[in-house]
Amino acid sequence: MRFIKWTVKVFKKKHEITVGPYTKNMKLVVGSLLGAIAAILQSAGLMGGIGYAFSIMATGPIVLSTIISIRIGLLTYAVTTLLLIILQPSEVLVFLFTTGVLGISLGIGFKLYNTGTVVSLMGGTFLTAGILILLYLFQFPVLGPLVSSKVSGTVGLGVFLFGLFYSWIWMNLCIVGMKHLNKVMVRKLLIEKDESSCR
């Protein structure tokens, strides 16, 4: 009985994420910076080893920009893609269908839904779809050379479970990240107001 109550409580838990008082110009500037950061992080994947750890972090900037504004998030996603075409073309497909699409789906989930479970489910579903599209449609070995590009229900289920878990981790990381970003932006606005009042 306690387990059922705990499960219901977890599923109903709200993420309580909020967006600070961003002006239109600030949204554009923050979105551009986050797009550049995402492109640099995604490009690090080709270094191998620790580069992969940096590469998976490219999801974060996309989520944060989408939480600020869905429009800014989509623009950041597009800008990051264009930068990757210039910097590291081999990473474009991976970004478009994995790290990038996870960021967009989580950001939109945060904007549309109040519960963290729904946000995680949305992110996990889109990430699973992206990985399977890469694997089966583009024949891109996104899961490594050992996983066959032939359609498999077992692989699909495994990818979905991994996608849900990975999405849940990113959802919690982004809640923390958004709180810090809001603090920085509010502090910046207060400083600008103080400077303008002194003139």
Side-chain angles (χ1 to χ4, degrees):
M1 192 69 178
R2 284 183 180 178
F3 178 75
I4 294 170
K5 286 181 179 179
W6 178 81
T7 306
V8 171
K9 187 179 178 182
V10 168
F11 273 84
K12 286 187 174 180
K13 188 178 179 183
K14 295 185 177 182
H15 55 71
E16 296 178 356
I17 202 161
T18 56
V19 180
Y22 295 85
T23 62
K24 286 184 179 180
N25 288 339
M26 193 179 287
K27 285 179 181 179
L28 284 171
V29 171
V30 171
S32 300
L33 287 171
L34 289 172
I37 291 168
I40 292 166
L41 290 171
Q42 187 68 47
S43 299
L46 284 184
M47 292 191 301
I50 197 167
Y52 290 121
F54 285 111
S55 179
I56 62 174
M57 297 303 288
T59 298
I62 305 299
V63 181
L64 296 180
S65 61
T66 310
I67 292 171
I68 292 168
S69 161
I70 292 176
R71 181 172 163 270
I72 295 296
L74 292 171
L75 286 172
T76 304
Y77 180 70
V79 166
T80 306
T81 304
L82 292 172
L83 286 172
L84 283 172
I85 290 170
I86 298 165
L87 296 173
Q88 212 62 266
S90 59
E91 288 289 310
V92 173
L93 276 180
V94 176
F95 174 77
L96 281 173
F97 291 98
T98 58
T99 49
V101 80
L102 175 62
I104 288 289
S105 57
L106 281 174
I108 292 173
F110 276 121
K111 297 289 280 185
L112 299 180
Y113 304 105
N114 291 324
T115 54
T117 305
V118 178
V119 175
S120 295
L121 183 62
M122 187 172 174
T125 303
F126 276 85
L127 178 60
T128 301
I131 290 173
L132 295 180
I133 287 169
L134 276 179
L135 187 62
Y136 297 133
L137 190 64
F138 290 100
Q139 305 285 303
F140 188 87
V142 68
L143 300 176
L146 296 177
V147 179
S148 173
S149 57
K150 291 181 180 178
V151 178
S152 166
T154 307
V155 171
L157 179 61
V159 170
F160 180 64
L161 292 175
F162 165 77
L164 286 178
F165 178 66
Y166 191 70
S167 176
W168 178 79
I169 291 172
W170 265 112
M171 180 204 66
N172 286 290
L173 286 173
C174 289
I175 289 171
V176 175
M178 197 64 203
K179 284 178 182 177
H180 285 293
L181 186 62
N182 280 337
K183 283 180 183 177
V184 171
M185 289 300 123
V186 168
R187 200 177 299 128
K188 189 176 184 300
L189 281 171
L190 289 173
I191 291 168
E192 285 177 356
K193 282 180 182 178
D194 285 343
E195 287 177 351
S196 61
S197 62
C198 290
R199 288 173 186 172

